[in-house]
Amino acid sequence: MAVQVALHEKKRETWAPMIQFPKDFLWGAATAAYQVEGGNIHADWWRWEKKTGKENSGLACCHYDLYASDFALAKDLGHNAHRLSVEWSRIEPEEGKFSEEALKHYVDVILALKARRIEPVVTLHHFTNPAWLADSGGWENKKSVAAFLHYSEFMVRALAAYVRYWITVNEPTIYFSHAYILGVWPPQEKSLWKAWTIKNRLAEAHIKTYRLIHKIYKKLNIPKPSVSIAQHMQAFVPCTPSIKNRFATFLRHQWFNLGYIDMFVRHQALDFIGVNYYSRQLVELEKWGFRNLAADVCKNNHHPVEKNSLGWDIYPEGLSDLLLKLKKYNLPVMITENGVCVSDDSRRWEYIAGHLRQMHQAMEQGVPVTGYLYWSLLDNFEWDKGFAPRFGLIGMDYKTQQRTVRESAVKFSKVCKTGILEERSHQLLG
Ligand code: FCB
């Protein structure tokens, strides 16, 4: 009997459907400078951590020094792409004074990726600003756009020869809502008016930087780059199918997921769509009202799903729904972030496999997804939540700076190396 079961299991394993991804697919992980580098003393966040007494980012993962060995680990794990950000406050620690040393560092970083045949995806703004910009009003100040363009020009000229994929701004909606509506990130404002200003300013910054990057490549006679933002998208799901809930769901999807995308497509300022996807929001309106439409969520456990260690719903099916909704734009899509913080690493692999399945489903239905970048390569500094959440494929011991490659990273590496997700193997073997 036991033998029969084993045979049966084995048969199921060999018959199991295999999911195959395209040969030239980009596989890898994402990071952001402030979260991994350590010692970003000229950034607004650095000062804010000190002022508020929040957990300090300190040395973080010392990735500023250890990038080469970290990339060697990524290479061993079969990654052929890597998303990173360059830190504006290092490049321009004082207004108008550009650091050749920091510039050389980032050139070395990109060359270290290229030497390993890992395709860099470079973000110019990932939540942090130079302290001097914050002192002059940050993005509220009209001059911020010109300052960002100035810095971007400096960076892009230096890296153009090696970089094809650019992300101008990471998650502009999350940035302005956390910093200017919820007031939980610097500069901790709670003003709809200011948020509106910042929203538009970031849009202007993207559109102008998009054009600038293309102009630089043209002038240097380098093949066209691919430029986008990394847009945070959520699966908005009505808790009950009431008119209120469905209407709010529709609005939130339009505003939060597609608002910027629609605008940039209209301005012909998007070469692909960078999607950061993590979670679901269950929409349940208490009453009609502007704030309710924008923000009310279900407070009961009506449709329970597993959660990550920050309490975010785990909802892989939302990814295929979202991707299908992007089909109308006729643009390539890259998953620029998708990941989970959990204490039990086996749940990380389940999360990844579940999302890859959903991504593949959408691809089979014609959505041109070109890459998947897991958040994150390493455990890192999760903004106002500090170091507790563990998002990494590679675990960090922050005391010793020792890295440990997790089992989930090894499982993911099989997909990166073969382009094949074996549907059942993790259940049978694990
Ligand atoms: C995203 C951010 C990224 C990281 C993950 C968990 O919103 O872009 O920096 O914090 O969430």
Side-chain angles (χ1 to χ4, degrees), residues 27-38:
W27 293 108
T31 59
Y34 196 83
Q35 294 176 273
V36 291
E37 284 181 350

Side-chain angles (χ1 to χ4, degrees), residues 34 40 42-52 54-55 57 126-131 175 184-186 381-385:
Y34 196 83
N40 275 308
H42 299 295
D44 57 350
W45 263 86
W46 186 269
R47 213 167 48 183
W48 186 74
E49 286 160 22
K50 301 266 179 288
K51 199 176 84 191
T52 55
K54 290 252 171 211
E55 191 169 2
S57 55
H126 197 124
F127 296 159
T128 51
N129 300 303
Y175 175 71
V184 292
W185 287 359
F381 179 72
E382 180 50 30
W383 307 113
D384 55 320
K385 306 289 185 307

Side-chain angles (χ1 to χ4, degrees), residues 35 126-127 170-171 232 276 278 312 337 375 382-383 391:
Q35 294 176 273
H126 197 124
F127 296 159
N170 180 68
E171 298 189 344
H232 186 90
N276 291 2
Y278 288 88
W312 305 352
E337 285 181 30
W375 182 272
E382 180 50 30
W383 307 113
F391 276 95

